[in-house]
Amino acid sequence: MTTVYDVAKLANVSAMTVSRALNNPEKVSPQSLKRVQDAIQQLGYQQNQAARALVTKSTGIVKLVMPKRLGMSDPYFTALFAGIASVLSENRLAVLIEDELSSTIKYDGIILTELHDEHSYNELLKLSTPVVLFGKGQRLGEMANQLDWVDLNHFEGAYLATQHLLSLGHTAIALFKFDSNDSSLIEREQGYRKAMAEYGIDVDPNWVVSGLEDTSYAAKSQAIDVLSHSAVTGVVCTSDLLAIGVIQAARELNRKIPQQLSVVGFDGVGYDQMCDPRLTTLCQPVFWIGQRLAQLLIERIQDKTNDLPARHEIISAELVVRDSTAVK
Amino acid sequence: MTTVYDVAKLANVSAMTVSRALNNPEKVSPQSLKRVQDAIQQLGYQQNQAARALVTKSTGIVKLVMPKRLGMSDPYFTALFAGIASVLSENRLAVLIEDELSSTIKYDGIILTELHDEHSYNELLKLSTPVVLFGKGQRLGEMANQLDWVDLNHFEGAYLATQHLLSLGHTAIALFKFDSNDSSLIEREQGYRKAMAEYGIDVDPNWVVSGLEDTSYAAKSQAIDVLSHSAVTGVVCTSDLLAIGVIQAARELNRKIPQQLSVVGFDGVGYDQMCDPRLTTLCQPVFWIGQRLAQLLIERIQDKTNDLPARHEIISAELVVRDSTAVK
DNA sequence: TTGTATGCGTTATCAG
DNA sequence: CTGATAACGCATACAA
């Protein structure tokens, strides 16, 4: 293994100059710099991260805690990961994925996609490491506001989806919610209700279907029920999977989409692409969200002053109108 | 930060004994061991990986090179990753994901899910690190046989899928292949042809549709063409996405599934779950494949003798019969 | 601008 | 079975 000393010898400088050339090139004379760089080239020298970490107490590694349910092959988190990784690798940081907080591997910062409870939060504080949350971490209450986070504008998203159907002349609009004790779903329901209220429509309790598993089958069986027993002509779903289930139900009931029933999905990652007819959906910029998560973390890692305030970013989703919605 | 010296002082032993207690407990007297363990408990001591890595030249990190196209949110690779991570974390190894071979972070071993060419292979040899391939790495030719790999039995899979349709009385069976210069698709076609030959059926060239993008839309438009101009009653697809496209085409042509057309998918990860009717598919044990990849790598990392032969595992997929296939 | 001495926390070596 | 010492490769502090 070639070390700074090998490089130093070849470049006719001291090891220190090599180190500087690597970390603070501006503090080295152009001539020395050039000689060092040539030597590095020639020897194919690579910094030893372990030695560097030992003395700088930094690792070049960012830890990403993915939700446990990720194992169930979710395109959403794959896209999120891709966004995170893209920014991190630009900054020469590696991503380390684990499904729990504790581990023996050290890291410079951590991105949490799911913060279960106060217990996790306390562990987090013990680590005293830069951290960014995906989602408001609402279950932490006030504590979450002291941390950086990036979240989707769930309220606005559902509002836009509902307004889209309303503007097409629909009035009997159902909401299909999958089960989650995450506040994001509460906000989506609020967005739906806000839009309905603005159009002066009383929401029939039967229109709001909640507690669903997030699968097309769960949505399908519920949708068959709702569509058979009510005059609903539009459905807002909180995921594309649910929307696909509703479309399957409509097919079984011989309701044409979009002529007799309009359906809006939510997420726009993966599943919407394979729906027939093409799904109108609220498309989340998941890749971008991942990038922002990474960017905020990097800023915090690089912040020496330690007085960076907590930053909170709320990102908008965009309604992509395709073939599953039409005028009533 | 507490170090071995802190622990040593508290346990009334030397730092060396602490180190031994951690790495070779059997070489320490039971009394000392107990005192050290207690001290570790009490102080909440954690090994400094960087320092350890510096001297042992090991990192506790396994690198996983995912295909670049992963960014496109593919449930297949998410499942594969989950399998890999499960085994690795059991062995206190962390997973580091990157999309290219080179990086400054050191690692103990590497799992490659996509080996592009000889160039990559040469880089690999320079690293002289334990490596396991996902897939035969056929494009490396002979070289691949010197490496460990795990692959699916593509031939058998396609053979089983085709045989299933044949046993249901179908004779005009099409094959939908997505575009890939990977040998796995060649093998799948061979499996299809073998089954057809065994039933004494001549394959009509029009039945074999290749060069498709791996999307439901690509399959749909092609399928409309094929189904309109031939007497095909069964379709074997090389992915679930293609199968979904074929089903969409059938719907558009008013062909009932499975009464008028039987369709078999391939993969059984993610997309098959949301198909209507439920998709008969060749289900790959992707999670298990991931686990095997990790296991082989760990064995190679732990192998001191350095004379472990290259191991090659070929894993079978299982035909899961659901509602998209029926007797002719 | 450059170089020297020193230490980061751990384990290998070798002596006891 | 145990301990003293050196070394891993790099960067910080200080001196030149």
Side-chain angles (χ1 to χ4, degrees), chain A residues 16-320:
Chain A
M16 219 20 251
T17 303
V18 176
S19 176
R20 268 193 284 263
L22 251 28
N23 302 306
N24 303 90
E26 72 280 5
K27 298 201 152 193
V28 169
S29 74
Q31 304 93 308
S32 301
L33 186 58
K34 168 113 180 59
R35 288 220 305 284
V36 170
Q37 288 172 335
D38 288 347
I40 288 177
Q41 267 297 323
Q42 214 175 116
L43 296 168
Y45 166 76
Q46 280 197 309
Q47 266 188 313
N48 180 322
Q49 271 293 329
R52 184 175 161 60
L54 183 59
V55 54
T56 62
K57 277 117 175 55
S58 92
T59 62
I61 292 176
V62 165
K63 178 157 164 174
L64 176 59
V65 181
M66 284 296 206
K68 292 227 172 59
R69 54 191 155 83
L70 165 77
M72 300 300 82
S73 61
D74 189 334
Y76 188 95
F77 285 99
T78 318
L80 190 69
F81 168 72
I84 291 171
S86 77
V87 169
L88 254 29
S89 74
E90 263 177 34
N91 290 70
R92 304 181 67 232
L93 287 165
V95 202
L96 189 62
I97 301 196
E98 297 190 20
D99 59 0
E100 47 182 331
L101 273 177
S102 54
S103 87
T104 58
I105 311 284
K106 290 286 186 300
Y107 41 83
D108 296 346
I110 189 167
I111 296 176
L112 291 172
T113 59
E114 197 178 50
L115 201 48
H116 304 278
D117 45 34
E118 296 78 11
H119 172 254
S120 314
Y121 180 75
N122 288 330
E123 276 192 61
L124 213 63
L125 288 185
K126 268 198 302 200
L127 300 175
S128 69
T129 189
V131 52
V132 176
L133 303 181
F134 171 51
K136 293 183 195 61
Q138 54 289 321
R139 291 161 80 194
L140 300 177
E142 289 305 310
M143 302 192 285
N145 287 327
Q146 302 164 28
L147 299 172
D148 297 330
W149 51 255
V150 177
D151 203 356
L152 184 79
N153 195 331
H154 301 280
F155 176 87
E156 179 194 64
Y159 176 83
L160 287 175
T162 311
Q163 202 189 39
H164 170 61
L165 292 181
L166 289 163
S167 73
L168 290 172
H170 298 273
T171 50
I173 299 172
L175 175 69
F176 273 58
K177 276 172 61 184
F178 62 84
D179 187 34
S180 162
N181 35 24
D182 192 291
S183 80
S184 62
L185 284 214
I186 299 176
E187 292 170 20
R188 292 183 194 185
E189 178 165 348
Q190 288 169 341
Y192 159 81
R193 290 187 182 278
K194 172 88 179 308
M196 294 296 270
E198 283 185 5
Y199 272 72
I201 299 173
D202 278 335
V203 173
D204 181 329
N206 293 318
W207 293 350
V208 178
V209 179
S210 53
L212 290 171
E213 230 190 313
D214 188 16
T215 67
S216 58
Y217 293 119
K220 182 180 176 184
S221 64
Q222 276 295 311
I224 288 176
D225 195 48
V226 172
L227 295 178
S228 319
H229 299 93
S230 72
V232 161
T233 65
V235 182
V236 173
C237 298
T238 54
S239 83
D240 290 335
L241 237 32
L242 294 186
I244 286 171
V246 171
I247 288 174
Q248 290 173 353
R251 191 176 295 134
E252 193 144 321
L253 296 171
N254 268 315
R255 306 254 183 113
K256 290 262 174 295
I257 290 180
Q259 296 85 344
Q260 296 169 275
L261 182 73
S262 286
V263 180
V264 186
F266 209 109
D267 283 354
V269 181
Y271 296 123
D272 63 319
Q273 298 288 342
M274 33 170 309
C275 185
D276 185 39
R278 296 187 315 141
L279 189 65
T280 293
T281 190
L282 214 88
C283 202
Q284 294 191 42
V286 189
F287 189 85
W288 170 249
I289 291 175
Q291 292 191 308
R292 288 309 301 158
L293 284 167
Q295 241 132 28
L296 290 185
L297 185 65
I298 288 172
E299 286 169 26
R300 191 159 290 283
I301 289 173
Q302 292 177 343
D303 170 55
K304 305 292 179 196
T305 67
N306 231 353
D307 62 356
L308 203 59
R311 289 105 81 225
H312 305 146
E313 292 199 7
I314 296 179
I315 294 182
S316 290
E318 181 195 6
L319 183 72
V320 176

